[in-house]
């Protein structure tokens, strides 16, 4: 085939357009059985909750086929009076950990990290090399999950490509006066996050999501709070007598250029966060979900919500009263349900804290179809739990949380918001597509 002059340029443009298109890559895997893992064994999952163009090897490691920035979330529940100690790896590089054990009940664990992946990079979860782990799971009680989402593909050319950061804490952190946590382990570096101040500064107007997790030092308190400028958003609390407590939270916020978001210790309380160079439990991550272009109707920012519970609650139908963001009005504060206004791939996060000596047992539903759960119970103590899921929704589908039992008791006050529910429609920025160029004859 011979192509001449401008015709060659047209062909090159068409070919580049097709090659530069981005497709959603997202998955959530779950474990439906109790699972014992020996030292260093890779965690496996027996249930595919959702898989949108994700690839895995025979060991269960995620394999990157579309380079870009990914978000990974992993959660597990330790069997009664048993230990979980898992680590997230990119290829052979250690990223972060979760640890859970309580002598008084079941320990829920979780963490999140953003990673930049190149083609054929792998991501896996493994048991710690020096300890065995035992996780809890049944067909209708899925607590252990592994979720991955392509947030931004390398093939896109957009100014928001540098809007993601992910950082960890590689040393112990002690605070008594509400100090800001200055995370120094740069997992995904971005100049918008300043490790000297611990603050993220929004480079542009838009809708952002943030995740933070931590582990208390032995027999100490973890009490971290997310702030937007000087305003309290929500918190993560953990304490386990004679052990280490895990907790985390997330939020979707609408920011203006120059707004700051950061994690700080609870003022007036001693807070002790665990961290060493090879044991990173405390993480803080964030990314732009949708930019706002002035004088335009940017529908990409109209498919997310983030809500919290600002009062104690007992019952089955969880309705959140604190609205952090509700772009497009998909979340109903009357029913507690999120209704998808557009078909697509959505990502959901949920967190809870029990009242003292009670349990929280929260389940995520898609059109009354059970997806996964969080659980928290530690005799005589407050217990935290978290989970996440990717769901492929059709316009009109509903997603909601409910308690497993009417006796479940959730902690919340106006300045102590631990129970949250957030979700967003996954949207990849991409070059315009004009289809298959077909055969060109010159």
């Amino acid at each position: 085939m011979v192509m001449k002059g401008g015709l060659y340029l047209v062909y090159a443009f068409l070919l580049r357009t097709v090659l530069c298109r981005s497709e959603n890559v997202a998955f959530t895997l779950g474990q439906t059985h109790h699972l014992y893992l020996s030292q260093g064994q890779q965690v496996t999952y027996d249930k595919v909750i959702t898989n949108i163009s994700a690839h895995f090897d025979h060991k269960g490691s995620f394999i990157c086929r579309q380079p870009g920035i990914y978000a990974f979330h992993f959660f597990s529940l330790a069997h009664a009076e048993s230990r979980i100690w898992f680590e997230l790896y990119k290829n052979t590089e250690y990223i972060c950990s979760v640890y859970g054990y309580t002598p008084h009940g079941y320990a829920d664990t979780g963490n999140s990290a953003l990673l930049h992946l190149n083609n054929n990079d792998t991501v896996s979860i493994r048991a710690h090399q020096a300890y065995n782990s035992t996780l809890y799971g049944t067909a209708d009680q899925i607590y252990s999950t592994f979720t991955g989402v392509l947030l931004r593909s390398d093939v896109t050319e957009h100014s928001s490509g540098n809007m993601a950061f992910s950082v960890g804490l590689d040393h112990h952190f002690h605070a008594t006066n509400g100090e800001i946590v200055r995370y120094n382990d740069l997992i995904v570096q971005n100049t918008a996050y300043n490790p000297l101040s611990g603050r993220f500064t929004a480079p542009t107007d838009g809708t952002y999501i943030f995740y933070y997790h931590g582990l208390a030092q032995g027999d100490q308190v973890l009490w971290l709070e997310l702030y937007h400028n000087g305003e309290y958003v929500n918190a993560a609390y953990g304490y386990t007598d004679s052990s280490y407590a895990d907790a985390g939270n997330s939020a979707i916020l609408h920011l203006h250029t120059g707004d700051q978001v950061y994690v700080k210790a609870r003022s007036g309380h001693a807070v002790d966060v665990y961290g060493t160079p090879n044991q990173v439990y405390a993480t803080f991550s964030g990314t732009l979900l949708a930019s706002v272009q002035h004088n335009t109707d940017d529908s990409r920012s109209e498919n997310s919500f983030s809500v919290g519970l600002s009062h104690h609650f007992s019952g089955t139908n969880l309705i959140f009263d604190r609205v952090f963001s509700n772009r497009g009005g998909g979340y109903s504060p009357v029913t507690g349900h999120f209704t998808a206004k557009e078909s697509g791939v959505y990502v959901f996060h949920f967190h809870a804290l029990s009242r003292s000596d009670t349990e929280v047992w929260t389940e995520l539903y898609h059109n009354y179809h059970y997806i996964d759960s969080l659980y928290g119970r530690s005799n005589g103590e407050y217990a935290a739990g978290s989970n996440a899921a990717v769901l492929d929704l059709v316009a009109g589908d509903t997603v909601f949380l409910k308690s497993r039992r009417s006796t479940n008791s959730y902690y919340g006050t106006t300045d102590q918001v631990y129970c949250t529910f957030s979700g967003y429609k996954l949207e990849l920025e991409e070059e315009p597509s004009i289809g298959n160029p077909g055969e060109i004859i010159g």
Side-chain angles (χ1 to χ4, degrees), residues 264-285:
K264 64 186 289 292
R266 177 77 172 189
S267 297
H269 293 266
V271 175
D272 290 275
V273 183
Y274 194 101
T276 71
N278 61 350
Q279 295 187 45
V280 176
Y281 306 96
T283 62
F284 179 34
S285 304

Side-chain angles (χ1 to χ4, degrees), residues 142-159:
I142 300 173
Y143 308 101
S144 297
T145 63
F146 180 29
T147 293
V149 176
L150 174 62
L151 295 172
R152 195 152 289 108
S153 172
D154 283 352
V155 303
T156 61
E157 297 177 3
H158 193 278
S159 60

